Amino acid sequence: MSKGLHHHQQRHQGLNQFGKELIRRSGAKCELCEASGVKLVVFEVPPIPPEPDIDHCLFVCDTCLEQLKTPRKRDPDHWHCLARTVWTPIPAVQALAVYLLRYLENRADWVPPLLDELYLPPEVASWAEKIEL
Ligand SMILES: [Zn+2]
């Protein structure tokens, strides 16, 4: 087994151990679009820490995951959900939501007013600046 693969598996196990806590925190819903009754996967919000850290993790559905990973597939209609979920008290979710809203800012006319009225704790604001996807 290569070292890289071994490391990958360890990380995967590390993330899986967060599953129970994320189910509790999210109410078994996608933490971005609130889809329920769907498969949820753990998403790590960059910058990725050396060791898996639940404070960097959230549960997302396949639709959100695909659009996170593939910017050209990001559909402003899907991300209307962020108008609600961007007010989350969970820093990782909020930082990621703000990153997405900034990405969509020039692509949907409902986004700029939302960003204007948003209050962000300083640590979330600086985290959102560091996200690259
Ligand atoms: Zn979702």
Side-chain angles (χ1 to χ4, degrees):
M1 192 189 296
S2 79
K3 235 181 166 173
L5 182 62
H6 187 63
H7 184 76
H8 177 76
Q9 286 181 341
Q10 277 184 342
R11 186 163 196 100
H12 193 67
Q13 280 165 8
L15 292 175
N16 278 345
Q17 79 192 357
F18 301 147
K20 258 193 191 148
E21 191 165 342
L22 289 175
I23 286 171
R24 200 161 39 84
R25 187 178 85 184
S26 66
K29 288 188 215 165
C30 174
E31 293 188 86
L32 291 174
C33 78
E34 301 186 309
S36 61
V38 296
K39 192 183 113 197
L40 297 168
V41 295
V42 179
F43 183 81
E44 286 184 285
V45 181
I48 307 285
E51 293 298 323
D53 178 353
I54 193 161
D55 291 335
H56 271 257
C57 292
L58 68 155
F59 256 162
V60 297
C61 69
D62 278 340
T63 307
C64 287
L65 181 65
E66 190 183 15
Q67 296 196 31
L68 283 167
K69 285 180 164 172
T70 319
R72 69 185 157 76
K73 289 191 180 164
R74 288 179 191 161
D75 172 8
D77 286 342
H78 174 70
W79 294 112
H80 259 296
C81 52
L82 295 176
R84 276 168 57 92
T85 49
V86 75
W87 298 99
T88 172
I90 301 162
V93 179
Q94 192 171 40
L96 186 60
V98 169
Y99 160 82
L100 285 163
L101 287 169
R102 295 214 174 114
Y103 180 87
L104 296 167
E105 193 169 5
N106 300 319
R107 295 170 170 84
D109 57 11
W110 55 269
V111 177
L114 181 62
L115 283 172
D116 277 349
E117 73 179 74
L118 195 60
Y119 165 77
L120 290 179
E123 65 276 13
V124 174
S126 65
W127 188 351
E129 301 278 327
K130 290 182 206 143
I131 297 176
E132 282 178 51
L133 288 168

